[in-house]
Amino acid sequence: TSYPREDYLPMTSHKRDLSPTVVTVGASAPPRDHLIWSIFNTIYMNFCCLGFVALAFSVKARDRKVAGDGEAARRFSSKARCYNALATAGSVVLPLLLAA
């Protein structure tokens, strides 16, 4: 074979780490609320009021996260991210199309 066999490998230390391993099941990172991005889109790049809609969903996501409702916070966060992406894309692409 092209790799060394087990009996020819150098001896390694077989010390065991006795520290306990902790595994948390079901716990995930809290969802992001995209509040800063929403404020930026509301103030600077408010394309068809999408920045304001994103800000509303961001505030709802933050409220749900503080209340401990992770699933609702995740839904509102996802909507805020989509509206922020649309507002940013619309505010960047539309002027480029008009300039061309």
Side-chain angles (χ1 to χ4, degrees):
T1 62
S2 62
Y3 56 90
R5 295 189 337 213
E6 287 182 25
D7 53 348
Y8 289 109
L9 291 177
M11 295 299 291
T12 59
S13 175
H14 293 292
K15 291 182 182 179
R16 289 190 167 203
D17 186 17
L18 299 177
S19 63
T21 302
V22 177
V23 177
T24 56
V25 178
S28 62
R32 297 179 60 189
D33 53 16
H34 307 288
L35 188 64
I36 302 298
W37 191 13
S38 299
I39 290 171
F40 180 76
N41 277 331
T42 299
I43 294 173
Y44 294 109
M45 292 194 254
N46 199 6
F47 175 72
C48 293
C49 297
L50 291 176
F52 182 72
V53 174
L55 181 64
F57 279 115
S58 294
V59 170
K60 286 182 180 183
R62 179 164 284 195
D63 289 344
R64 292 289 90 205
K65 183 169 63 170
V66 169
D69 188 3
E71 185 59 35
R74 204 173 311 338
R75 279 194 323 266
F76 287 133
S77 174
S78 175
K79 289 180 182 180
R81 184 179 59 238
C82 289
Y83 282 118
N84 276 321
L86 287 172
T88 303
S91 297
V92 171
V93 172
L94 188 64
L96 291 176
L97 288 176
L98 290 175

